[in-house]
C-alpha cells in the first residue's frame, strides 16, 4: 500500500504548475529610416533581476536608446548611454557593448513588459507609449547632426577618452534580454494625429538634443519594482 501511495503522490505532483525557467533572447536587425521604432514584448514568471542591453555600437551601429514600459505602455525608464562598456554572455556567446550602447539592469516584478529601441535622439514624447516618439515625423532627422551618409549620423561626439567618434554609423542593431521567461519582436502602434502635428512644428528647424553628460560620468541605471 505504501508503494502505491508514493506513486500516486508523485503523479499528482507532476501536474502542478511549474514556473518557467529564465532564459536569454538575442535579436538583431537593421533600421530602414532614422526614426524607426522596434518593439519587444517580454515576460517574467517570477520576480527577478533582468538585464537588457545593445551590442551594436562597437560594430559601427547607430547610437541606440532602450525604453522600458510596463504591459500597459506606461514608462518605467528610458536609457541612452547606460554603461562605460563591458561584456556579457548570452546563450553561450560573449557580446561586447560600448559606452554609447544602451544598458539596463533592474529588478522587476512578475508580469508582462515592453521594451522599445530607437535611435538617438528619438526619445519618447511622454510616459505613455501610445503618444509616440519625438522624431516620428522625420525619417532622416540625424542628417542635421552632420555626416556624409546623410542618415544614421552621430555628428560631433567624443568618447570618455575625449576621442572623436565616427560620425557615419550603420543602420544595424543588436538587442539582448537576460533572465526573462519569453521575448518577441512586435510592431509599435502609430502615434495619434494631433501628436504628429505638434512634433512636426517642434522639430521644423531640425537640430540635435544635446546629451546630458559625457558617458564617463554615467552609471548603470538600476531600479527596483515590487
Amino acid at each position: 500500500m505504501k508503494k502505491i501511495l508514493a506513486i500516486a503522490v508523485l503523479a499528482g505532483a507532476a501536474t502542478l504548475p511549474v514556473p518557467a525557467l529564465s532564459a536569454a533572447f538575442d535579436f538583431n536587425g537593421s533600421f530602414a529610416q532614422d526614426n524607426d521604432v522596434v518593439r519587444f514584448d517580454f515576460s517574467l514568471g517570477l520576480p527577478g533581476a533582468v538585464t537588457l542591453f545593445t551590442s551594436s555600437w562597437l560594430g559601427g551601429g547607430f547610437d541606440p536608446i532602450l525604453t522600458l514600459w510596463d504591459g500597459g505602455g506606461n514608462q518605467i525608464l528610458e536609457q541612452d548611454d547606460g554603461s562605460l562598456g563591458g561584456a556579457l554572455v548570452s546563450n553561450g556567446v560573449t557580446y561586447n557593448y560600448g559606452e554609447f550602447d544602451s544598458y539596463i539592469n533592474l529588478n522587476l516584478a512578475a508580469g508582462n513588459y515592453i521594451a522599445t529601441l530607437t535611435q538617438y535622439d528619438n526619445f519618447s514624447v511622454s510616459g505613455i507609449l501610445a503618444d509616440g516618439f519625438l522624431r516620428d515625423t522625420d525619417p532622416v532627422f540625424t542628417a542635421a547632426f552632420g555626416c556624409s551618409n546623410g542618415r544614421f549620423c552621430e555628428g560631433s561626439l567624443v568618447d570618455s577618452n575625449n576621442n572623436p567618434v565616427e560620425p557615419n554609423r550603420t543602420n544595424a542593431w543588436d538587442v539582448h534580454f537576460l533572465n526573462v521567461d519569453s521575448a518577441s519582436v512586435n510592431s509599435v502602434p502609430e502615434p495619434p494625429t494631433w501628436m504628429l502635428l505638434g512634433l512636426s512644428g517642434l522639430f521644423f528647424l531640425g537640430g540635435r538634443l544635446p546629451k546630458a553628460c559625457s558617458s564617463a560620468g554615467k552609471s548603470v541605471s538600476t531600479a527596483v519594482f515590487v
Side-chain angles (χ1 to χ4, degrees), residues 15-42:
T15 64
L16 295 176
V18 178
L21 296 176
S22 59
F25 296 85
D26 307 302
F27 302 93
N28 62 76
S30 58
F31 276 11
Q33 304 288 350
D34 281 339
N35 64 347
D36 282 353
V37 180
V38 178
R39 166 177 166 161
F40 306 89
D41 289 294
F42 68 97

Side-chain angles (χ1 to χ4, degrees), residues 7 31 83 120 165 167 170 207:
I7 293 174
F31 276 11
S83 174
Y120 185 86
V165 304
T170 74

Side-chain angles (χ1 to χ4, degrees), residues 1 12-13 16 48 50 57 61 67 97 104 121-122 129 142 184 221:
M1 291 295 294
L16 295 176
V50 174
W57 171 264
T67 307
Y97 55 92
I104 296 173
D121 56 4
N122 194 16
L129 176 58
T142 66
S184 61
S221 291

Side-chain angles (χ1 to χ4, degrees), residues 161-178:
N161 295 316
N162 207 35
N163 295 317
V165 304
E166 170 57 51
N168 289 297
R169 313 304 299 181
T170 74
N171 61 349
W173 57 263
D174 291 271
V175 178
H176 313 277
F177 294 76
L178 305 183

Side-chain angles (χ1 to χ4, degrees), residues 26-223:
D26 307 302
F27 302 93
N28 62 76
S30 58
F31 276 11
Q33 304 288 350
D34 281 339
N35 64 347
D36 282 353
V37 180
V38 178
R39 166 177 166 161
F40 306 89
D41 289 294
F42 68 97
S43 65
L44 282 75
L46 294 171
V50 174
T51 300
L52 288 67
F53 72 102
T54 64
S55 63
S56 40
W57 171 264
L58 293 177
F62 60 81
D63 189 349
I65 300 171
L66 284 176
T67 307
L68 180 63
W69 316 80
D70 66 20
N74 302 296
Q75 188 179 119
I76 297 174
L77 66 86
E78 190 162 61
Q79 184 61 65
D80 177 19
D81 308 326
S83 174
L84 289 179
L88 288 173
V89 176
S90 178
N91 291 311
V93 178
T94 299
Y95 293 95
N96 296 306
Y97 55 92
E99 62 181 285
F100 294 112
D101 274 306
S102 185
Y103 182 100
I104 296 173
N105 177 258
L106 67 164
N107 291 321
L108 290 175
N112 298 318
Y113 296 90
I114 301 166
T116 53
L117 172 70
T118 56
Q119 180 179 195
Y120 185 86
D121 56 4
N122 194 16
F123 292 100
S124 55
V125 169
S126 72
I128 305 298
L129 176 58
D131 285 345
F133 295 82
L134 292 176
R135 305 292 192 170
D136 278 334
T137 60
D138 191 351
V140 290
F141 70 86
T142 66
F145 302 168
C147 76
S148 60
N149 287 343
R151 60 177 184 159
F152 304 107
C153 301
E154 190 61 27
S156 299
L157 183 68
V158 296
D159 62 20
S160 57
N161 295 316
N162 207 35
N163 295 317
V165 304
E166 170 57 51
N168 289 297
R169 313 304 299 181
T170 74
N171 61 349
W173 57 263
D174 291 271
V175 178
H176 313 277
F177 294 76
L178 305 183
N179 300 322
V180 302
D181 292 333
S182 66
S184 61
V185 180
N186 292 284
S187 61
V188 172
E190 292 293 331
T193 302
W194 66 266
M195 183 62 69
L196 291 177
L197 293 174
L199 292 176
S200 178
L202 178 63
F203 289 104
F204 179 75
L205 297 178
R208 171 181 177 136
L209 295 176
K211 284 183 176 283
C213 62
S214 167
S215 292
K218 293 188 179 180
S219 59
V220 175
S221 291
T222 302

